[in-house]
Amino acid sequence: MADAVGSIDTPDAQDEAQEKKKARKGGKRAKKGPLKRLALFYRQVIAELRKVVWPTRNQLTSYTTVVIFFVAIMIALVTVIDYGLSHAAKYVFG
């Protein structure tokens, strides 16, 4: 019965995987100093920024106009609601 699964003579696949995990320490960041990790971080940031699709000048202008218009509408709406609630409070509480 030497071929039986889980026999004493042959270790299980799980046991082998656990031994491999224990032998490895730290992975990629094992013995790097803080300056090397910081440099790696900045290199990764720059690499990600190169992947960004930046808007054109016309798109940026239109997006900015829409945002400013929306904010102006919201300011007006909040002002009207505040004005109405303050007059309602004065009416109710004297």
Side-chain angles (χ1 to χ4, degrees):
M1 282 210 178
D3 294 337
V5 177
S7 68
I8 297 173
D9 296 335
T10 58
D12 291 342
Q14 292 175 353
D15 293 339
E16 290 176 21
Q18 288 176 355
E19 289 175 8
K20 287 181 183 179
K21 285 182 184 179
K22 289 179 184 177
R24 217 173 122 195
K25 290 185 181 178
K28 292 181 180 178
R29 297 186 299 167
K31 298 278 183 168
K32 291 184 182 178
L35 292 178
K36 286 188 178 184
R37 288 191 308 220
L38 189 62
L40 175 65
F41 172 74
Y42 282 120
R43 276 186 274 146
Q44 289 174 346
V45 167
I46 291 169
E48 288 298 320
L49 285 175
R50 286 187 180 142
K51 296 177 187 177
V52 173
V53 178
W54 297 99
T56 64
R57 183 176 286 280
N58 290 336
Q59 289 174 333
L60 189 62
T61 304
S62 65
Y63 296 160
T64 304
T65 304
V66 167
V67 168
I68 290 173
F69 183 72
F70 178 76
V71 168
I73 296 292
M74 293 307 294
I75 289 172
L77 181 66
V78 169
T79 302
V80 168
I81 291 172
D82 183 49
Y83 184 74
L85 288 176
S86 67
H87 278 290
K90 284 181 186 176
Y91 178 76
V92 169
F93 297 113

